[in-house]
Amino acid sequence: MSTKYQLITLLLMCCFNVQAQEVLTKEEAIALALENNYGVKIAKNAVTVAENNKSILNTEFLPTVTSSAGATYNLDNTEAEFSDGSTTVLNGAESTNYNASVSLNYTIFDGLGRRYNYKRLKEQYRLSELQARETIENTIIQLFSVYYNVAQLTDNLNTLEETLNITKDRLIRAQYQFDYGQNTKLEVLNAEVDINNDSINIINIKQDIKNAKRDLKLVLGETYTTDYGIETEVEFTLQFQKDSLFEKAKSRNVALLQTERNIAISTLDINSGKSAYLPTIGLIGTYGWNKNNNNAASFVAVSTNTGLSGGLNFTWDLFDGGSTITTVRNAKVNLETQKLEKENILLSIERDFSNAWDNYLNKLEIYNIQEKNILTAENNFERTQEKFKVGQVNSIEFRQAQLNLLNVELSRNEAKFEAKLSELEVLQISGELLNVQL
């Protein structure tokens, strides 16, 4: 009776642990990754820097204001001769000078260089946003790759545990039959060997799950520390037709959009370089205070000056040794390079999209076939099991039917998650990964 109660208590504890285990949903995993993944954090910081750079405070459109102050102390030996012929000798004559000023410097015109640089900084900000989007998309793909790996291993574990339970039942039946002289010890030994093999498979896959969960925690930024389960159900949400998706890929693919931003930046680099051909006009202004405490040899003992001064300056580099010409030429070459890069990316998108689309349809078809194959394998196993119970098939034939069902279920699990990952790849190439419910 004591053993019976212990078994019941253990069963209840196991049930409680299963119920208490948290389930990390796909939505929660995405939210955690976007918030805590280090690659995403770094990308967001880069966007913040680009946003700061495009501020008017970083464009030289605003004037500069500087202040300065100083003091001078002199200790001189002075010999002065006046016009009437008299002389004066001063030893250790002291004099001091104090000054302070505030200056303003403002560039009125610089050949439109600031204007183009300002636009360039805005394009750099848009480019950094696209780079952050690319990082987020890659992180989501990485997340689901690891997430579905855990899910597939979890499904496989459940399948292996069911296989082990069937093998244990077979061992009990074989032991009963041996005890009553209905079969030989060989049937018992075969069942024990199969139990050991099934147990080893379960031990290995449990370790694989632990490793896969560590990979998942890394993508999540090590924020999910409790033990958790995984959603193993998969829904295929791709509703677009191939042609419409391809058109989206040619307008929304993140790599293509980055190239377009680089083309805009290269165009602005040309205009910015050409601005050096034009003159620069600046405005300067100063308000100053100056006080002199002169020594006894001076006609003025103390003088104090305050005043405001201002003016315009005009500079024009008529020839700078050819550096501006070189800069403009290189900017034109860079623009041509970016245009070629865009054409190359368009070709790559066409190839990658076609490959991803065909791969998705192929994986989905394989998954559907595996689903049908499951029904056949289950039907075959059930019939073999019934025949095994009445002694019409031996343990080897029964084990083979059991392994056939196991292999079909494992293949179905693999096909299911591979098809889903292929769907996500199609969505990423078409630029729709962040616009659909995953």
Side-chain angles (χ1 to χ4, degrees), residues 168-420:
K168 287 180 178 179
D169 290 339
R170 177 181 138 213
L171 174 60
I172 295 174
R173 179 180 295 275
Q175 186 65 50
Y176 281 146
Q177 290 175 342
F178 174 73
D179 291 341
Y180 289 98
Q182 296 179 2
N183 62 18
T184 64
K185 187 67 174 179
L186 181 62
E187 294 291 336
V188 177
L189 295 177
N190 285 337
E192 289 178 348
V193 170
D194 292 338
I195 285 178
N196 291 334
N197 289 332
D198 292 344
S199 300
I200 290 172
N201 291 334
I202 289 176
I203 292 173
N204 288 332
I205 202 168
K206 284 184 176 180
Q207 183 59 46
D208 291 339
I209 290 175
K210 289 180 180 179
N211 295 340
K213 284 187 176 182
R214 292 188 185 102
D215 293 337
L216 182 56
K217 284 175 62 179
L218 182 62
V219 179
L220 298 178
E222 290 287 345
T223 56
Y224 211 81
T225 57
T226 58
D227 190 22
Y228 56 91
I230 289 294
E231 290 182 338
T232 59
E233 295 298 323
V234 167
E235 294 182 5
F236 296 97
T237 59
L238 190 58
Q239 302 293 333
F240 301 99
Q241 298 297 321
K242 180 179 179 181
D243 293 339
S244 64
L245 263 183
F246 182 61
E247 291 301 319
K248 290 179 181 292
K250 291 190 294 184
S251 61
R252 291 187 52 80
N253 180 273
V254 67
L256 181 62
L257 294 177
Q258 288 183 59
T259 305
E260 291 176 351
R261 296 278 68 79
N262 284 325
I263 290 175
I265 290 173
S266 297
T267 302
L268 292 170
D269 285 339
I270 296 174
N271 295 330
S272 179
K274 289 181 178 179
S275 67
Y277 291 133
L278 300 176
T280 299
I281 301 174
L283 172 68
I284 56 173
T286 302
Y287 179 81
W289 170 82
N290 191 304
K291 180 178 181 181
N292 292 305
N293 295 319
N294 301 314
N295 57 38
S298 301
F299 290 104
V300 179
V302 178
S303 65
T304 301
N305 298 317
T306 57
L308 180 66
S309 63
L312 292 173
N313 55 43
F314 178 92
T315 58
W316 195 348
D317 290 335
L318 299 179
F319 183 68
D320 60 358
S323 62
T324 299
I325 295 175
T326 303
T327 299
V328 173
R329 286 176 178 174
N330 289 339
K332 289 181 178 179
V333 174
N334 289 334
L335 175 60
E336 182 64 24
T337 300
Q338 293 299 329
K339 290 181 178 179
L340 293 173
E341 183 68 21
K342 180 180 179 179
E343 295 299 322
N344 183 47
I345 289 178
L346 282 171
L347 288 177
S348 298
I349 288 174
E350 182 177 1
R351 179 204 62 188
D352 295 342
F353 178 82
S354 296
N355 289 344
W357 180 266
D358 291 343
N359 186 52
Y360 165 66
L361 294 181
N362 181 60
K363 297 292 185 183
L364 190 59
E365 183 178 4
I366 291 175
Y367 170 62
N368 291 330
I369 292 175
Q370 292 288 7
E371 284 281 21
K372 296 177 182 178
N373 206 18
I374 284 286
L375 299 177
T376 302
E378 287 177 344
N379 186 33
N380 177 65
F381 176 72
E382 289 173 359
R383 292 188 177 187
T384 303
Q385 190 176 38
E386 292 298 325
K387 291 183 178 181
F388 176 73
K389 290 179 180 180
V390 297
Q392 295 181 357
V393 298
N394 58 33
S395 61
I396 296 176
E397 294 172 322
F398 176 81
R399 179 63 174 177
Q400 187 59 51
Q402 185 185 24
L403 291 178
N404 288 340
L405 176 60
L406 173 64
N407 291 331
V408 170
E409 289 180 337
L410 296 180
S411 298
R412 187 272 310 274
N413 294 341
E414 181 181 6
K416 176 175 66 173
F417 295 110
E418 283 187 352
K420 184 60 182 180

Side-chain angles (χ1 to χ4, degrees), residues 37-55:
N37 180 270
Y38 287 101
V40 174
K41 286 183 177 180
I42 293 171
K44 289 180 178 179
N45 285 344
V47 173
T48 301
V49 170
E51 185 177 12
N52 293 336
N53 287 338
K54 76 180 182 68
S55 169

Side-chain angles (χ1 to χ4, degrees), residues 423-437:
E423 180 190 62
L424 296 179
E425 183 181 3
V426 172
L427 291 172
Q428 182 185 23
I429 295 174
S430 62
E432 291 295 313
L433 183 65
L434 305 181
N435 299 327
V436 297
Q437 182 67 34

